[in-house]
């Protein structure tokens, strides 16, 4: 049977219990629950249902594909005939829950409450007349379904937009992709490397977009994108210098060594930018040693080190980003400040000004009396002694791991000795003892117990690190030392991370010593 367009009621439709999206089930309610579990615990189905509820219709031109149910009795009563949904099970599930949310009341109570709010008599007409295409059997249906969901069909099936097409569509709706903004900026500026850049980033525009969307692009590289305008400006730096650095950044991302995997996590994206800044600073030093000055017009791709097409850093670009303190994300008008370039090689958030003898130290933990702790637990004290003897340079990864271990064990000790009760909602997540809690949860509870009214300004940096994974001392960064083989960090940054947690370390061990 060639596909025949029909209008069917919701009562005539049966979810496919062998649907490829789910595990095979043996009844309809089980199929609904399985679909919900495979759709982010129902959140995606809810979003689809909400869209249907708002539009009062299904997507025009996209009919469900159905086949006759082979379990029904053979009769000619079309209104009482049933059909298995081969394509469109998510939509049918959404409609079923819009009409009868009580189906999931016991198993998905939170989702049930959300669906109850969507229920409307205005949707009754939609339940009664659903656009479908009827084909004869499962094999025939699968042939057509493959054209929609299959890949490598050489143009026969549904072809997804490539990156350029998707970007043009977004621009038609008033939203611009940063990689497209950057490319256009370079084209308008007459970049001699534009062909290489466009070709190199074509297959990894998602990764490029992630890098250009990182906060460090503005805070450290001084580039301000405006997605709703399709514009890029340079903040507090010379435009020509900014363009050379933009070109160098795009050139590097066009290289073969740059990949989506290398910047998958936020930490890796920031580390990529920090490493790029290192190269910029090294290039500046090279140019300076050759007698160049900051006003020189020696451009990208000129001078020693150029390897066009390899993705290596084209030298000759000079860079001196010196943003004012109150423009950086760690800005606090009530705190003393120091220049990011002096403390961490210009690598973003830095926070309060550390004492010079602390920032210049060789070892992970400071030896200065005001920054040492009296630790009552022998095992943790032994780790602390190792931290005071561990040279960071050359052992950055080890130092990061040791910082994380010392932090978590200190929090564990505090929670145990002070018998801090676990929040009630933890039990709903299967967490019944502190050792099963996540590191972030432990730190949050210790900070809350130490400073419930948030009056201790010394703990503000710790709270910032908990509040966003974009901070250098975030929990995400700490995890990357253990789990992320692509992570990279400098010795100065490791010491900054330790110093940011110093007020918490001191507060914990002072309370335990008392």
């Amino acid at each position: 049977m060639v596909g025949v367009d029909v209008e069917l009621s919701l009562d005539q439709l049966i979810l496919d219990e062998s649907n490829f999206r789910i595990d095979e089930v043996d009844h309809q309610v089980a199929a609904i629950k399985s679909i919900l579990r495979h759709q982010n615990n129902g959140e995606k189905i809810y979003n689809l249902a909400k869209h249907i509820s708002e539009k009062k219709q299904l997507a025009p031109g996209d009919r469900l594909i159905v086949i006759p149910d082979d379990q029904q009795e053979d009769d000619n009563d079309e209104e009482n005939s049933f059909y298995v949904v081969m394509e469109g099970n998510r939509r049918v599930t959404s409609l079923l829950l819009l009409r009868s949310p009580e189906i999931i009341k016991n198993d998905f109570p939170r989702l049930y409450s959300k669906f109850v709010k969507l229920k409307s008599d205005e949707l009754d007409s939609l339940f009664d007349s659903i656009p479908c295409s009827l084909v004869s059997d499962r094999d025939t249906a699968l042939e057509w379904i493959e054209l929609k969901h299959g890949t490598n069909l050489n143009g026969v099936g549904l072809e997804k937009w490539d990156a350029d097409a998707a970007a043009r569509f977004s621009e038609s709706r008033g939203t611009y992709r940063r990689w497209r903004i950057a490319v256009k900026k370079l084209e308008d500026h007459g970049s001699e490397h534009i062909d290489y850049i466009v070709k190199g980033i074509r297959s990894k525009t998602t990764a490029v977009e992630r890098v250009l969307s990182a906060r460090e692009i503005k805070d450290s590289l001084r580039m301000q994108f405006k997605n709703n305008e399709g514009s890029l400006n340079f903040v507090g730096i010379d435009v020509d210098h900014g363009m050379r650095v933009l070109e160098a950044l795009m050139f590097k991302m066009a290289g073969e060594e740059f990949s989506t995997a290398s910047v998958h996590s936020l930490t890796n994206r920031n580390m990529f930018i920090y490493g790029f800044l290192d190269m910029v600073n090294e290039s500046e030093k090279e140019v300076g040693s050759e007698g160049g000055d900051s006003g020189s017009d020696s451009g990208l791709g000129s001078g020693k080190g150029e390897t066009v097409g390899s993705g290596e850093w084209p030298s000759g670009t000079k860079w001196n980003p010196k943003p004012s303190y109150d423009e950086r994300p760690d800005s606090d008008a009530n705190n003393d400040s120091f220049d990011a370039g002096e403390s961490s090689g210009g690598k973003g958030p830095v926070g309060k000004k550390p004492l010079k003898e602390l920032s210049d130290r060789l070892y992970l933990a400071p030896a200065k009396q005001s920054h040492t702790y009296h630790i009552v637990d022998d095992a943790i004290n032994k780790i602390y002694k190792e931290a005071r003897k561990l040279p960071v340079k050359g052992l950055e990864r080890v130092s990061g791991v040791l910082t994380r271990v010392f932090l978590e064990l200190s929090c564990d000790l505090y929670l145990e000795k002070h018998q801090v009760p676990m929040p009630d909602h933890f039990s709903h997540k299967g967490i019944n003892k502190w050792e099963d809690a996540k590191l972030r949860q432990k730190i949050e509870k210790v900070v809350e117990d130490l400073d419930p009214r948030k009056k201790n300004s010394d703990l503000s940096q710790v709270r910032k690190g908990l509040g966003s994974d974009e901070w250098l001392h975030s929990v995400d960064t700490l995890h990357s030392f253990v789990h992320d083989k692509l992570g990279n960090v400098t010795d100065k940054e490791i010491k900054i991370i330790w110093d940011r947690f110093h007020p918490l370390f001191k507060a914990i061990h002072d309370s335990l010593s008392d």
Side-chain angles (χ1 to χ4, degrees):
M1 178 196 299
V2 178
V4 177
D5 289 347
V6 294
E7 304 291 320
L8 301 174
S9 73
L10 186 57
D11 290 329
Q12 292 179 274
L13 298 178
I14 301 172
L15 293 172
D16 181 16
E17 295 170 4
S18 301
N19 181 4
F20 295 118
R21 291 186 185 275
I22 64 175
D23 302 321
E24 191 161 341
V25 294
D26 55 9
H27 58 84
Q28 289 291 286
V29 175
I32 292 174
K33 294 176 182 178
S34 185
I35 288 174
L36 293 177
R37 283 192 293 270
H38 283 80
Q39 290 284 294
N40 196 19
N41 275 331
E43 285 301 314
K44 291 183 178 180
I45 295 297
Y46 170 76
N47 291 336
L48 175 57
K50 186 171 183 288
H51 185 267
I52 293 172
S53 177
E54 291 170 350
K55 300 298 182 182
K56 305 291 189 298
Q57 69 175 62
L58 298 174
D62 191 10
R63 289 176 170 266
L64 277 61
I65 300 178
V66 300
I67 60 174
D69 179 23
D70 57 11
Q71 301 299 316
Q72 63 188 328
E73 294 182 6
D74 189 13
D75 58 40
N76 295 320
D77 186 358
E78 292 185 2
E79 290 186 1
N80 293 321
S81 297
F82 297 98
Y83 302 88
V84 176
V85 178
M86 296 297 297
E87 169 66 13
N89 283 273
R90 294 176 67 252
R91 283 169 282 173
V92 171
T93 300
S94 299
L95 293 173
L96 287 168
L97 295 178
L98 281 169
R99 187 179 67 176
S100 306
E102 60 274 6
I103 297 172
I104 58 169
K105 184 175 182 179
N106 294 329
D107 295 276
F108 298 86
R110 186 183 66 82
L111 195 63
Y112 161 74
S113 299
K114 295 173 71 173
F115 268 98
V116 167
K117 295 176 182 178
L118 292 181
K119 189 172 181 179
S120 170
D121 293 338
E122 296 180 23
L123 297 173
D124 288 348
S125 60
L126 179 57
F127 301 144
D128 293 335
S129 181
I130 301 171
C132 301
S133 288
L134 174 62
V135 297
S136 57
D137 53 60
R138 180 174 291 269
D139 288 340
T140 303
L142 291 178
E143 288 181 18
W144 293 105
I145 291 171
E146 183 183 14
L147 298 184
K148 184 172 182 180
H149 296 286
T151 57
N152 299 322
L153 300 176
N154 296 318
V156 176
L158 184 67
E159 283 285 307
K160 291 186 177 181
W161 285 337
D162 62 16
D164 281 307
R168 292 189 191 102
F169 175 79
S170 295
E171 289 169 11
S172 73
R173 307 296 294 270
T175 301
Y176 295 79
R177 305 288 173 87
R178 295 190 176 198
W179 68 268
R180 288 260 298 179
I181 297 172
V183 166
K184 187 175 188 308
K185 191 88 170 177
L186 292 173
E187 287 176 340
D188 293 344
H189 202 72
S191 166
E192 62 181 281
H193 298 302
I194 190 64
D195 291 340
Y196 169 75
I197 290 171
V198 170
K199 182 180 179 180
I201 69 171
R202 182 170 293 139
S203 62
K204 47 191 174 183
T205 53
T206 299
V208 174
E209 188 74 10
R210 285 175 176 173
V211 170
L212 296 180
S213 298
R215 190 160 68 177
E216 290 304 309
I217 290 294
K218 178 183 177 183
D219 296 332
S220 294
L221 295 186
R222 320 301 291 155
M223 298 177 190
Q224 186 174 47
F225 287 87
K226 292 187 178 180
N227 293 22
N228 60 335
E229 297 179 2
S231 66
L232 166 60
N233 298 310
F234 300 101
V235 182
I237 58 172
D238 180 83
V239 173
D240 287 338
H241 283 187
M243 286 303 305
R244 285 196 287 272
V245 172
L246 172 65
E247 187 175 32
L249 177 63
M250 297 296 288
F251 187 98
K252 182 167 180 60
M253 289 191 288
E256 293 180 0
E257 77 286 355
F258 177 82
S259 66
T260 300
S262 67
V263 292
H264 183 71
S265 71
L266 179 61
T267 300
N268 285 344
R269 292 195 287 277
N270 285 340
M271 293 310 167
F272 171 80
I273 297 170
Y274 300 158
F276 173 76
L277 264 173
D278 278 341
M279 287 188 289
V280 174
N281 292 332
E282 286 301 315
S283 175
E284 181 182 357
K285 291 177 184 177
E286 288 183 10
V287 174
S289 68
E290 294 173 5
D293 59 75
S294 61
S296 157
D297 61 356
S298 56
L300 184 72
S302 61
K304 182 174 60 177
E306 176 182 8
T307 315
V308 177
S310 70
E312 294 182 8
W313 167 249
S315 67
T317 300
K318 301 181 292 302
W319 183 244
N320 187 27
K322 298 282 187 179
S324 62
Y325 180 74
D326 58 4
E327 292 177 330
R328 296 198 304 271
D330 268 343
S331 145
D332 186 339
N334 297 321
N335 292 338
D336 291 331
S337 63
F338 71 109
D339 192 279
E342 297 172 352
S343 64
S344 61
K347 294 176 175 58
V350 286
K352 288 187 176 181
K353 177 180 179 180
L355 298 173
K356 187 175 189 303
E357 57 266 36
L358 297 181
S359 61
D360 290 347
R361 67 183 184 270
L362 296 176
Y363 305 108
L364 176 59
K368 188 173 177 64
Q369 188 66 35
S370 62
H371 277 62
T372 56
Y373 327 117
H374 176 67
I375 301 176
V376 296
D377 183 88
D378 290 340
I380 297 179
N381 192 44
K382 184 176 180 181
I383 293 173
Y384 176 55
K385 288 180 178 179
E386 292 176 4
R388 292 182 61 180
K389 297 177 181 178
L390 180 65
V392 182
K393 194 163 185 66
L395 296 172
E396 290 86 357
R397 187 67 169 255
V398 173
S399 300
V401 172
L402 191 62
T403 300
R404 185 192 186 283
V405 169
F406 182 71
L407 172 61
E408 184 156 21
L409 291 180
S410 296
C411 288
D412 287 343
L413 186 64
Y414 181 94
L415 295 166
E416 176 191 348
K417 295 297 183 183
H418 288 294
Q419 298 182 343
V420 178
M422 298 191 67
D424 292 337
H425 66 273
F426 274 27
S427 60
H428 299 309
K429 300 178 180 179
I431 304 172
N432 299 308
K433 47 189 176 180
W434 279 116
E435 64 186 58
D436 295 331
K438 295 180 180 179
L439 176 59
R440 182 188 298 276
Q441 294 169 327
K442 294 177 183 178
I443 301 171
E444 287 174 344
K445 194 60 183 176
V446 170
V447 172
E448 178 187 330
D449 196 71
L450 282 167
D451 185 29
R453 297 186 179 182
K454 300 182 180 180
K455 290 187 175 182
N456 186 351
S457 60
D458 289 338
L459 295 176
S460 63
Q461 287 295 323
V462 178
R463 287 194 175 93
K464 288 178 180 178
L466 291 169
S468 170
D469 286 338
E470 293 192 23
W471 293 86
L472 178 61
H473 62 301
S474 70
V475 175
D476 187 59
T477 301
L478 296 172
H479 288 326
S480 74
F481 297 139
V482 179
H483 302 295
D484 191 349
K485 65 181 181 180
L486 297 173
N488 184 31
V489 70
T490 69
D491 60 314
K492 290 183 179 179
E493 288 169 337
I494 290 289
K495 287 179 281 188
I496 287 172
I497 292 171
W498 180 284
D499 292 345
R500 294 238 181 124
F501 282 107
H502 160 72
L504 179 60
F505 294 153
K506 186 167 178 58
I508 287 174
H509 294 293
D510 282 354
S511 73
L512 294 171
S513 297
D514 293 342

